[in-house]
């Protein structure tokens, strides 16, 4: 049986931690806990999270309608509710503005991978959303491309949102991320960030799977990704304005071509010739309707412009010509 009073006490405790850590200045941040299919406990708007009382916590339904409470519910409750709708396993959501992680949100700088063991095991690739004005459904919808593959998301020019099986766990992910971002900044000031090699990273991914922590890099869908290059969410960077500016890319590791002997054993010149020939054939032939996509930006390289003329983006083009590349290399 759910003990709503105890959960309200836990929310107040996490609110105090957020405030004491500097993650929620003034009335910043909001915390929710789902206590039934249609009921969610929620912190009030315009109230410091460091000084919450049990009676301040209100009750809302899954549409955002307030059911009980002496104070008005948080204005950003829709963000929390969208996460609950997409992830039935999630029971608590914490949104706040931890300064070091939020600095990455403001800079639109991707979080480097393969640096700290704890981050690899507990967080993995951390996405950054596109920016939307906080509070409305459009803002809540910014997490949709990511919410099924992570438990923490950076909100562009805003803060973070993390979620877990209870309010303690939801808070943990935020604390881990902000500590990591601070360490990254300090290491960069010292002049260098050292990355794991592939063997070291795969040992961590194996441990993560053994301990029951999910990671897309351990799934069939991403088995050929570059495990340290933010491959899980990199496709979203362009739309969100994310790019590497402060931190260099880690050394290249395993990707799809490494898994294919026909490609990995080829010389660079032969590969370039094969790709060029395949691109020309693909562009001349057009593309099946299912592969049609929005043309690339005019500033893209020549090969990309050719692909755009056929209605293809580069990822789709790569998929389309892979078989042709192999055939060219095997001649």
């Amino acid at each position: 049986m759910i003990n709503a009073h105890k959960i309200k006490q836990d929310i107040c405790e996490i609110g105090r931690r957020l405030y004491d850590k500097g993650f929620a200045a003034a009335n910043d941040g909001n915390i929710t806990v789902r206590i039934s299919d249609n009921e969610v406990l929620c912190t009030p708007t315009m109230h410091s999270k460091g000084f919450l009382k049990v009676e301040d916590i209100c009750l809302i339904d899954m549409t955002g309608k307030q059911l009980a409470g002496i104070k008005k519910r948080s204005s950003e409750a829709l963000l929390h509710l969208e996460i609950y709708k997409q992830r039935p396993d999630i029971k608590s959501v914490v949104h706040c503005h931890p300064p070091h992680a939020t600095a990455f949100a403001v800079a639109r700088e991707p979080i480097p991978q393969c640096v700290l063991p704890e981050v690899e095991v507990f967080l993995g690739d951390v996405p950054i959303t596109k920016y939307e004005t906080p509070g409305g459904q459009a803002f809540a919808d910014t997490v949709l491309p990511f919410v099924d593959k992570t438990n923490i998301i950076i909100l562009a020019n805003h803060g973070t949102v993390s979620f877990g099986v209870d309010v303690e766990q939801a808070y943990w992910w935020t604390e881990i991320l902000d500590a990591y971002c601070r360490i990254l900044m300090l290491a960069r000031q010292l002049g260098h960030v050292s990355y794991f090699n592939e063997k070291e990273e795969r040992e961590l991914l194996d441990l993560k799977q053994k301990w029951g922590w999910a990671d897309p890099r351990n799934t069939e869908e991403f088995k050929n990704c570059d495990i340290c290059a933010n491959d899980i969410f990199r496709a979203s960077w362009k739309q969100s304005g994310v790019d590497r500016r402060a931190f260099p890319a880690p050394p290249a590791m395993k990707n799809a071509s490494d898994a294919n002997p026909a490609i990995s054993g080829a010389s660079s010149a032969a590969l370039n010739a094969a790709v060029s020939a395949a691109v020309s054939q693909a562009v001349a032939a057009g593309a099946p309707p299912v592969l049609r996509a929005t043309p690339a930006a005019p500033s893209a390289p020549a090969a990309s412009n050719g692909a755009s003329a056929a209605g293809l983006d580069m990822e789709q083009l790569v998929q389309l010509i892979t078989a042709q590349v192999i055939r060219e290399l095997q001649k």
Side-chain angles (χ1 to χ4, degrees), residues 40-115:
V40 176
L41 294 172
C42 180
T43 52
T45 190
M46 296 302 293
H47 197 297
S48 172
K49 303 309 168 293
F51 302 94
L52 289 168
K53 302 181 181 66
V54 167
E55 56 266 29
D56 296 324
I57 309 302
C58 58
L59 184 70
I60 63 175
D61 67 15
M62 286 294 289
T63 70
K65 179 183 177 181
Q66 187 156 338
L67 304 176
I70 60 175
K71 296 184 178 179
K72 186 179 178 181
R73 59 106 164 143
S74 169
S75 61
E76 294 176 327
L78 295 181
L79 172 67
H80 298 238
L81 298 179
E82 196 59 50
I83 292 169
Y84 292 130
K85 291 172 185 176
Q86 302 301 321
R87 291 279 301 273
D89 58 310
I90 294 302
K91 300 304 179 187
S92 182
V93 178
V94 172
H95 163 56
C96 57
H97 309 154
H100 304 94
T102 302
F104 279 78
V106 171
R108 310 279 179 97
E109 178 76 22
I111 306 295
Q113 292 187 279
C114 299
V115 177

Side-chain angles (χ1 to χ4, degrees), residues 257 261-277 325 328-329:
S257 64
I263 295 178
S264 61
S267 69
S268 176
L271 181 58
N272 288 338
V275 170
S276 178
V325 170
E328 292 285 338
L329 294 177

Side-chain angles (χ1 to χ4, degrees), residues 107-329:
R108 310 279 179 97
E109 178 76 22
I111 306 295
Q113 292 187 279
C114 299
V115 177
L116 283 185
E118 293 81 3
V119 173
E120 293 305 301
V121 171
F122 293 122
L123 302 186
D125 196 1
V126 179
I128 302 177
T129 68
K130 65 177 183 178
Y131 177 78
E132 285 287 349
T133 302
Q137 188 59 46
F139 169 64
D141 289 346
T142 61
V143 303
L144 291 179
F146 316 111
V147 69
D148 63 331
K149 291 183 173 68
T150 184
N151 290 325
I152 186 163
I153 298 170
I154 293 177
L155 307 170
N157 290 75
H158 188 153
T160 63
V161 62
S162 54
F163 31 100
V165 297
D166 55 36
V167 69
E168 177 90 16
Q169 188 186 74
Y171 166 77
W172 278 355
W173 307 149
T174 294
E175 188 169 295
I176 291 170
L177 178 62
D178 198 69
Y180 179 47
C181 290
R182 182 167 183 262
I183 289 167
L184 288 169
M185 292 177 179
L186 292 171
R188 187 175 181 276
Q189 289 178 14
L190 290 173
H192 180 66
V193 174
S194 296
Y195 295 96
F196 298 138
N197 61 38
E198 184 170 350
K199 178 179 180 295
E200 291 165 340
E201 178 61 21
R202 291 201 177 279
E203 287 176 351
L204 291 170
L205 289 175
D206 288 345
L207 281 176
K208 188 170 187 175
Q209 190 165 33
K210 179 181 178 181
W211 292 339
W213 298 103
D215 191 303
R217 292 171 293 178
N218 280 330
T219 65
E220 186 69 17
E221 180 182 0
F222 292 98
K223 68 177 183 180
N224 290 326
C225 74
D226 186 328
I227 56 176
C228 289
N230 301 94
D231 275 8
I232 309 305
F233 301 118
R234 185 137 50 110
S236 70
W237 287 7
K238 183 176 180 181
Q239 184 181 25
S240 302
V242 174
D243 199 6
R244 298 190 198 277
R245 302 176 182 93
F247 293 86
M253 298 193 187
K254 184 176 181 180
N255 54 36
S257 64
D258 294 328
N260 193 312
I263 295 178
S264 61
S267 69
S268 176
L271 181 58
N272 288 338
V275 170
S276 178
V279 167
S280 298
Q281 293 175 22
V283 170
V290 72
L291 292 178
R292 296 282 174 187
T294 303
S299 60
S304 298
N305 290 338
S308 298
L312 294 168
D313 66 21
M314 283 307 296
E315 287 191 22
Q316 293 165 332
L317 181 60
V318 168
Q319 294 173 7
L320 182 66
I321 68 175
T322 296
Q324 178 65 21
V325 170
I326 295 173
R327 285 196 295 271
E328 292 285 338
L329 294 177

Side-chain angles (χ1 to χ4, degrees), residues 10-30:
D10 293 341
I11 291 173
C12 294
E13 166 61 19
I14 294 302
R16 183 189 63 77
R17 291 194 218 173
L18 291 176
Y19 183 79
D20 289 348
K21 292 283 289 185
F23 293 176
N27 63 302
D28 286 355
N30 27 79

